[in-house]
Amino acid sequence: MSELIIRDLHVSVETEQGDKQILKGVDLTIASGQTHAIMGPNGSGKSTLAYTLAGHPKYKVESGTITLDGEDVLEMSVDERARAGLFLAMQYPVEIPGVTVSNFLRTAKTAIDGEAPAIRSWIKDVRASMDNLRMDRTFAERNVNEGFSGGEKKRHEILQMELLKPRFAVLDETDSGLDVDALKVVSEGVNRAKETTDLGILLITHYTRILRYIKPDFVHVFVDGRVAEQGGPELADRLENEGYDRYLSGSNVG
């Protein structure tokens, strides 16, 4: 069983006014096969955690540790983190003009596995995953995310996850901008990946609607850069009814 362990993580981001501390001592442990939902209001540090895990240079780790099966993640470059089994589905996936989805996926798979996948089985796997995600196969020859709708971009993120088979996936507001049908298809893709690979999931979201399809084992409420409360799925139900107001009294979160 793999474990991703975050201990006393403090992270700042550079702004025009100087460094601003965002994460103020985060502790989390995610094991293989577990789904952890991170919920909280805007500005609470949820996306900062996601990009820190992925190694975004904008975010500076002031103190604390992140380890993956005992290996120091903070000492790894972005590509080393991907090869170690970390995957980030971005809230706003970027366009990559001139690079087709087909070439992008195969290049990524080769980089992570250290060898190119066999052509025949790879094409079969790609087509099967695209069919499961209700993606037209012509998308394989389109440039990455260029002209894609919001829902198509998110399906493409889950397509990458299904094919690259990471050990841990960080899903940063994957539900944002999705209609009900797309949300269901994307959620089914996440559940499928978890069932077939024992994937550990860190699911970042504002809303509980995606949790109707992707059932969390643990729910963590982020407020002002810290975990304010944690519990099981019932905590998400309470947040649906009560919102975040009770956490925000005395907090500087806007």
Side-chain angles (χ1 to χ4, degrees):
M1 183 178 74
S2 289
E3 277 193 325
L4 178 64
I5 300 174
I6 301 163
R7 287 288 174 268
D8 197 26
L9 188 65
H10 292 72
V11 175
S12 63
V13 62
E14 190 175 322
T15 70
E16 291 180 358
Q17 292 76 38
D19 287 352
K20 179 182 179 183
Q21 192 174 34
I22 306 293
L23 299 185
K24 303 173 182 179
V26 173
D27 292 289
L28 280 174
T29 299
I30 304 136
S32 301
Q34 292 180 348
T35 298
H36 291 248
I38 302 287
M39 305 186 71
N42 279 327
S44 58
K46 302 185 303 298
S47 290
T48 295
L49 176 62
Y51 287 110
T52 301
L53 286 167
H56 195 299
K58 177 181 171 183
Y59 299 95
K60 180 181 176 184
V61 176
E62 304 284 357
S63 62
T65 60
I66 304 172
T67 57
L68 175 54
D69 292 342
E71 297 292 320
D72 186 353
V73 171
L74 297 177
E75 288 296 314
M76 299 178 187
S77 62
V78 173
D79 58 312
E80 286 170 341
R81 296 180 197 207
R83 283 197 293 272
L86 282 176
F87 176 86
L88 171 65
M90 292 184 286
Q91 184 178 356
Y92 304 109
V94 297
E95 296 182 3
I96 309 179
V99 179
T100 66
V101 167
S102 177
N103 285 341
F104 174 79
L105 291 171
R106 186 169 167 78
T107 301
K109 184 68 171 174
T110 302
I112 285 173
D113 289 357
E115 59 181 6
I119 286 285
R120 186 173 295 180
S121 60
W122 173 248
I123 290 173
K124 182 181 175 183
D125 289 345
V126 171
R127 287 177 174 173
S129 290
M130 292 184 81
D131 290 347
N132 285 333
L133 289 163
R134 320 282 200 278
M135 293 180 72
D136 192 299
R137 290 183 181 181
T138 58
F139 272 85
E141 300 314 314
R142 290 177 60 179
N143 291 338
V144 173
N145 292 325
E146 202 170 47
F148 287 23
S149 69
E152 288 163 349
K153 288 180 179 180
K154 296 301 175 75
R155 290 177 203 226
H156 180 227
E157 295 280 286
I158 303 307
L159 176 67
Q160 294 170 49
M161 187 184 75
E162 284 202 62
L163 293 167
L164 299 178
K165 295 180 169 49
R167 284 194 277 173
F168 292 94
V170 181
L171 310 180
D172 187 19
E173 299 200 27
T174 296
D175 52 337
S176 65
L178 297 184
D179 61 30
V180 174
D181 291 335
L183 177 64
K184 190 173 181 182
V185 169
V186 163
S187 298
E188 286 171 353
V190 174
N191 290 332
R192 206 163 38 243
K194 182 180 175 182
E195 288 163 9
T196 56
T197 64
D198 206 28
L199 178 70
I201 297 169
L202 192 62
L203 175 64
I204 295 169
T205 182
H206 278 297
Y207 308 109
T208 57
R209 64 178 194 148
I210 194 171
L211 303 183
R212 295 171 196 154
Y213 302 104
I214 302 173
K215 301 296 184 185
D217 300 297
F218 305 94
V219 176
H220 311 270
V221 183
F222 260 45
V223 178
D224 194 24
R226 297 183 180 89
V227 177
E229 188 173 0
Q230 47 197 357
E234 71 284 346
L235 180 52
D237 295 332
R238 203 179 79 209
L239 290 171
E240 174 82 0
N241 296 323
E242 299 178 5
Y244 299 110
D245 284 352
R246 68 195 213 81
Y247 298 104
L248 298 178
S249 56
S251 166
N252 62 8
V253 177

